[in-house]
Amino acid sequence: MSTQVTAGSGVAVPATPAAVGSPAGPVTPAAVGTVAVVAHRKKTLGGGLDELRARLRGAGVENLLWYEMPKSRKAPKKVRKALKKGAELVFVWGGDGMVQRCADTLAGSDAAMAILPAGTANLLAADLDIPTDLAEAVRIGLTGPRRRLDLGRLNGEHFAVMAGAGFDGELIRDADRALKDRLGRLAYVWTGLRHVRSETTRMRIRVDGTEWFDGEASCVLFGNVGTITGGIPAFDDAEPDNGCLEVGVATANGVQEWVRTLGRMAVGRSDESPFVRITRGHKVRVDVAEPTRYELDGGARKRVTRLKVRVVPGGLTVCVPGVPGATVSGR
């Protein structure tokens, strides 16, 4: 028996099965019990949420919880509700901000997250080779292997892709929703050009208890994957399941130095730039001379003068492409 649900209610009621033709072929759910959908209703992918609902019905999902919200910051409450109702698989419909909010709540739980990349950049989905084809993304969620990924935790909040402060935080803050809707990833480039003249700030960075950097910097970054916001390949050796976080600091100041830095990042290795230092660690503390805005996975946060970051090994289970029924440890 499949289910029909009322948007936002999280309550499943009986419905008539509805099959949907799929270029990805027939889908048979893996051995999961209750499935939840947590969706940013303003995001689009394929035939929309109606197609998603129909595909899950057609796949024979019986215990389905359905939550829609207009903003990603409302997602954690719905994820917690889904977990209390016994959700073992949570489909997350949205962009990097939505994925971050849900990952923060799912961290440490036994539930798996299936990403339906409906955002602007979709960095985690791209890194894991999860396509923007709705039928295939649903198939991966229902039958694909489960992989345990590390998370970062910054000032008490988890992130899956990257976090940063300084130039990076201001860029994210000013790349407003309307601009991203019109320009997509180019919004980050456009906004970045407006900030390359931003002044540097004194930062003191300790990695695993040892002072690593003390000086003027334009931004500090913490990466769990290689490609960061705006599609920039920042951390060439990053792996999302190696038990460490990449740490980078940029000292570029002004248009000329930033052009050189971004050019090196685009065609070579980031650590070959004279304005970039990169290391790897488990715990990081950053003290900033002036209140500085920070961001997590593309979501801007308040200004602070201290950042406390640590890795959470294997903190999140994610559905990934691969042989159906397999389990990918990645370690």
Side-chain angles (χ1 to χ4, degrees):
M1 180 179 67
S2 63
T3 58
Q4 183 175 358
V5 290
T6 302
S9 69
V11 178
V13 298
T16 302
V20 177
S22 168
V27 173
T28 301
V32 295
T34 302
V35 175
V37 170
V38 180
H40 192 313
R41 68 166 63 103
K42 295 182 180 180
K43 301 296 183 178
T44 59
L45 178 66
L49 291 171
D50 287 342
E51 180 186 346
L52 173 61
R53 184 184 291 108
R55 288 194 178 278
L56 291 175
R57 282 198 219 150
V61 174
E62 296 187 356
N63 300 315
L64 180 62
L65 304 172
W66 192 279
Y67 306 98
E68 294 181 23
M69 65 272 331
K71 296 181 179 180
S72 61
R73 68 170 177 262
K74 296 181 178 295
K77 181 178 179 180
K78 302 303 182 183
V79 173
R80 286 192 291 270
K81 184 178 290 188
L83 292 176
K84 287 182 180 179
K85 290 179 178 288
E88 299 174 36
L89 173 62
V90 179
F91 280 92
V92 177
W93 173 288
D96 291 313
M98 185 71 170
V99 170
Q100 183 273 321
R101 298 279 190 180
C102 293
D104 183 45
T105 310
L106 287 168
S109 74
D110 293 328
M113 181 170 71
I115 303 172
L116 300 172
T120 302
N122 305 310
L123 291 175
L124 183 60
D127 188 81
L128 298 175
D129 295 323
I130 298 171
T132 54
D133 176 85
L134 180 55
E136 180 62 12
V138 169
R139 186 198 67 76
I140 291 169
L142 292 176
T143 70
R146 274 46 170 161
R147 181 179 179 185
R148 294 201 67 85
L149 303 182
D150 300 334
L151 293 172
R153 186 173 173 88
L154 169 55
N155 288 6
E157 191 174 0
H158 296 89
F159 62 92
V161 176
M162 57 85 66
F167 172 90
D168 175 70
E170 296 298 335
L171 182 153
I172 294 299
R173 174 66 178 84
D174 289 351
D176 59 57
R177 173 59 52 200
L179 190 64
K180 287 196 285 185
D181 288 344
R182 291 200 309 270
L183 301 181
R185 289 189 181 187
L186 289 177
Y188 297 115
V189 178
W190 176 262
T191 307
L193 292 175
R194 290 156 47 191
H195 280 284
V196 293
R197 293 182 176 85
S198 299
E199 295 182 358
T200 58
T201 303
R202 180 73 178 268
M203 295 186 184
R204 184 182 181 187
I205 304 173
R206 296 179 66 85
V207 178
D208 293 334
T210 301
E211 185 171 294
W212 176 68
F213 178 87
D214 188 356
E216 295 290 318
S218 44
C219 72
V220 58
L221 296 174
F222 316 101
N224 195 37
V225 301
T227 302
I228 63 172
T229 303
I232 300 170
F235 298 112
D236 301 281
D237 300 320
E239 293 291 342
D241 49 17
N242 62 1
C244 299
L245 289 175
E246 304 294 311
V247 184
V249 63
T251 58
N253 186 17
V255 176
Q256 188 174 33
E257 291 184 0
W258 268 113
V259 168
R260 289 177 60 190
T261 301
L262 295 175
R264 172 59 62 183
M265 295 170 75
V267 301
R269 290 181 57 91
S270 300
D271 53 10
E272 292 177 351
S273 168
F275 306 110
V276 174
R277 286 187 62 187
I278 292 177
T279 191
R280 180 178 293 167
H282 302 92
K283 293 183 179 180
V284 185
R285 172 172 163 164
V286 181
D287 292 296
V288 189
E290 301 177 3
T292 302
R293 190 179 304 281
Y294 72 98
E295 62 89 13
L296 301 97
D297 289 350
R301 300 295 188 266
K302 64 182 180 180
R303 295 177 182 273
V304 297
T305 57
R306 178 172 296 171
L307 303 171
K308 290 185 176 181
V309 190
R310 66 180 178 88
V311 67
V312 182
L316 180 69
T317 301
V318 182
C319 304
V320 297
V323 179
T327 298
V328 181
S329 67
R331 302 185 77 85

